Amino acid sequence: MILYFSATGNGKYIAEQIAAETDDKAISIVDCIREGKYLFKDEKILGVITPTYFWRLPRIVTEFLEKLTIENCRYTFLLVSYGTSTGQIGTMAKEILKRKGQKFDAYYSVIMPDTWTPIFNLSNKERVEQWLNKGKAQLKTVIEDIKSNKRGDFIKNKLPKFVAALPSAFMYTAERKTKNLSVNKDLCIGCKLCEKKCPVGAIIMEGNHPVWKDEECEMCLGCLHRCPKFAISYGSGRSNKHGQYKNPYTKI
Ligand SMILES: Cc1cc2nc3c(=O)[nH]c(=O)nc-3n(C[C@H](O)[C@H](O)[C@H](O)COP(=O)(O)O)c2cc1C
Ligand code: SF4
Ligand code: SF4
């Protein structure tokens, strides 16, 4: 069973590739949470795939791992997708599982286009393609390692704990405020996609436009990247110049 949290498709694509190569299933962590499914038993493989947010685990994945129980699974792994640095995400996951007397057999990473477009510019198609090609090559190796049940920590581009841990917690808390998100009502066509797809139900429609009803969300940027009219911005609007992104090899 390959479990994934994915806002813009990188993790979903990775999960689907691994599932296809290992004759297994890819399932969304959001669906598991909605169904209250936290126990995984007698699986041939149990993999958890997550994006890196501010050098750490997204809040929703942290909460999922805190509730996760793995019983009698033959091979387990965590795979993180990232754009620039994985920071301390692997250590964070290890510590959560250790507190419960559990562990993953292996920790992997795969680079993918960085969807934090308040900073990174994904409007250049060639650059995005180069990023994707690098990721596809890494994924190929990781899949071979998973098939041979390799054990160990193979996460790349980490940062030391003293550099990453505190600033990343502080940054994620600040950047996760929904007041950072806004809609351009002139562009919005009221299609409700943002409301329907938000993994934590943070959006409601009011007067045919989205309103962020919760003070905080995951800040996955799924609403910004998936909007058919690119009507959603982050912060002062720098994200508007940096394009939208969805992984081209899957549907999200
Ligand atoms: C809120 C947010 C924070 C991010 N922080 C990091 C980070 O600290 N390091 C990094 O390498 N990539 C970071 N990224 C990029 C994502 O981890 C990366 O693009 C990932 O592949 C997205 O996966 P998805 O398409 O499955 O959602 C961030 C993206 C978002 C939306
Ligand atoms: S997805 Fe975009 S166009 Fe559709 S309702 Fe949301 S903001 Fe408006
Ligand atoms: S409001 Fe947008 S950024 Fe926040 S969790 Fe929902 S889809 Fe992601």
Side-chain angles (χ1 to χ4, degrees):
M1 190 81 70
I2 315 297
L3 311 175
Y4 64 88
F5 173 65
S6 180
T8 39
N10 289 339
K12 184 168 184 235
Y13 160 68
I14 292 168
E16 286 168 351
Q17 292 298 302
I18 297 172
E21 290 281 337
T22 55
D23 198 19
D24 214 318
K25 272 196 262 178
I27 293 184
S28 154
I29 285 176
V30 175
D31 290 343
C32 292
I33 293 171
R34 283 183 187 142
E35 290 161 22
K37 186 166 171 52
Y38 296 100
L39 170 64
F40 293 86
K41 213 174 160 180
D42 303 327
E43 298 288 345
K44 176 180 62 158
I45 296 179
L46 183 76
V48 175
I49 295 173
T50 176
T52 308
Y53 286 176
F54 297 101
W55 301 335
R56 58 197 291 115
L57 287 166
R59 181 180 58 171
I60 193 168
V61 179
T62 302
E63 288 172 4
F64 180 73
L65 291 182
E66 279 166 353
K67 292 183 183 165
L68 177 71
T69 303
I70 305 168
E71 266 181 35
N72 195 35
C73 295
R74 247 189 289 156
Y75 181 67
T76 60
F77 69 86
L78 180 89
L79 187 157
V80 307
S81 77
Y82 73 104
T84 44
S85 169
T86 55
Q88 277 286 305
I89 185 169
T91 307
M92 206 178 153
K94 272 181 207 170
E95 284 172 358
I96 293 170
L97 263 70
K98 196 176 166 194
R99 283 199 289 274
K100 308 189 308 167
Q102 303 210 298
K103 64 180 175 66
F104 289 116
D105 294 319
Y107 292 79
Y108 299 106
S109 61
V110 169
I111 196 163
M112 281 280 148
D114 199 312
T115 57
W116 184 242
T117 48
I119 293 193
F120 295 96
N121 190 342
L122 296 184
S123 63
N124 182 323
K125 298 287 165 246
E126 265 172 40
R127 188 156 176 256
V128 170
E129 205 172 311
Q130 280 169 8
W131 222 328
L132 282 166
N133 287 339
K134 205 171 163 191
K136 281 196 280 184
Q138 286 187 0
L139 179 57
K140 212 172 154 195
T141 310
V142 166
I143 289 176
E144 288 314 309
D145 290 346
I146 289 170
K147 281 173 154 177
S148 59
N149 291 5
K150 209 166 157 181
R151 278 151 209 271
D153 184 344
F154 311 105
I155 294 181
K156 295 190 168 81
N157 287 19
K158 294 177 190 172
L159 286 172
K161 199 168 188 172
F162 73 91
V163 177
L166 254 185
S168 79
F170 178 76
M171 276 191 294
Y172 191 26
T173 304
E175 308 282 3
R176 212 168 61 210
K177 304 280 182 218
T178 55
K179 67 176 184 209
N180 292 318
L181 294 165
S182 61
V183 63
N184 180 336
K185 291 182 182 168
D186 293 333
L187 295 176
C188 172
I189 51 168
C191 71
K192 300 185 183 173
L193 190 72
C194 49
E195 180 192 39
K196 194 174 135 204
K197 294 263 184 174
C198 174
V200 289
I203 298 175
I204 50 163
M205 298 299 286
E206 263 181 33
N208 224 22
H209 302 301
V211 168
W212 285 267
K213 69 174 176 60
D214 299 334
E215 198 184 319
E216 290 182 344
C217 70
E218 300 309 306
M219 206 45 76
C220 69
L221 293 191
C223 52
L224 181 153
H225 287 294
R226 285 188 298 246
C227 170
K229 295 293 171 188
F230 200 0
I232 295 176
S233 313
Y234 182 92
S236 60
R238 199 148 34 123
S239 59
N240 293 345
K241 298 193 187 93
H242 291 172
Q244 283 177 300
Y245 172 82
K246 281 189 283 184
N247 184 289
Y249 311 119
T250 190
K251 281 203 175 110
I252 193 89

